[in-house]
Amino acid sequence: MRPTAILLLGGAVTAPALVSPVSAAPAGAVTITIPRLNVAEYHKPYVALWLEPVGGGAPRTLAVWYDLKKRGNDPGTKWLADLRAWWRKGGRSLTMPADGISGATRAPGQYTIPLPADLKPGNYILTVEAARETGGRELVSVPLTAGARTSGRTELGAIAVSAR
C-alpha cells in the first residue's frame, strides 16, 4: 500500500472512507476533496500544500492553486499572500506560475497530488492551507506517519495519512 493523505475542504466523511490506496506516485499521494459549499456567493478556494521535515529544514511546496486568469491591476498572484502561513514559509520567494506546482483554483471535486518521488525517508509535517474570497481561511497540519488523523473546523475537513 502506498502512503496516502486525504484532505477534505469542508464537509464530512466517515473514518473508514478516509484511507484508501492511491497509485499516483511511488512515494504516495495526497487526495484533496473540495465540496460545493451551500453559500450565497461561492468562490473557489486558493489552496497551498507543503511538506516540512519534523526536525527542521526548508519547506517543500507540493501545490498552489490560485486564479491564473486574473490579470490587470489585481492579478491572481496578488492574493497569494492570503495563504498566510504558506506565504511566510516560502511562498513569497517563489516566482509564479511555478512549473509542476502551480495551477488554477479547483471546482468542487476530488484531486490527487502525488508526493515527490525523490522525497527522502524521514518524518514530515504535511500542511494544507485554504482561503476563499468572502469565505473563510483554514490551516491544517498532519504528520506523515501511518494512521495520523486530524481535522479542521470550517474550510478544511478531515485529513488522514496512511503509509506502508
Side-chain angles (χ1 to χ4, degrees):
M1 180 188 282
R2 302 197 188 287
T4 303
I6 296 182
L7 165 73
L8 295 155
L9 298 176
V13 69
T14 59
L18 288 175
V19 181
S20 64
V22 175
S23 58
V30 177
T31 300
I32 299 176
T33 302
I34 300 174
R36 173 92 169 126
L37 300 178
N38 191 16
V39 294
E41 187 178 342
Y42 180 82
H43 296 275
K44 297 175 197 172
Y46 275 34
V47 175
L49 174 98
W50 70 95
L51 287 174
E52 291 181 75
V54 169
R60 183 170 182 175
T61 300
L62 302 179
V64 179
W65 301 339
Y66 68 99
D67 192 347
L68 295 170
K69 293 181 180 180
K70 193 169 178 132
R71 304 279 186 232
N73 292 337
D74 291 331
T77 54
K78 176 181 179 179
W79 308 107
L80 285 173
D82 285 352
L83 296 168
R84 295 177 193 152
W86 170 79
W87 186 254
R88 290 177 184 138
K89 289 282 183 177
R92 74 176 97 208
S93 64
L94 288 176
T95 301
M96 293 303 213
D99 285 345
I101 63 166
S102 62
T105 55
R106 305 295 202 260
Q110 191 172 56
Y111 304 93
T112 300
I113 296 102
L115 292 174
D118 64 347
L119 190 63
K120 294 180 182 175
N123 295 318
Y124 296 89
I125 300 293
L126 171 71
T127 306
V128 181
E129 186 172 19
R132 282 187 313 112
E133 180 182 353
T134 67
R137 298 184 56 255
E138 191 155 22
L139 177 73
V140 175
S141 297
V142 63
L144 277 175
T145 55
R149 294 178 187 272
T150 190
S151 65
R153 293 185 186 147
T154 56
E155 293 298 315
L156 298 172
I159 296 175
V161 178
S162 63
R164 297 174 223 207

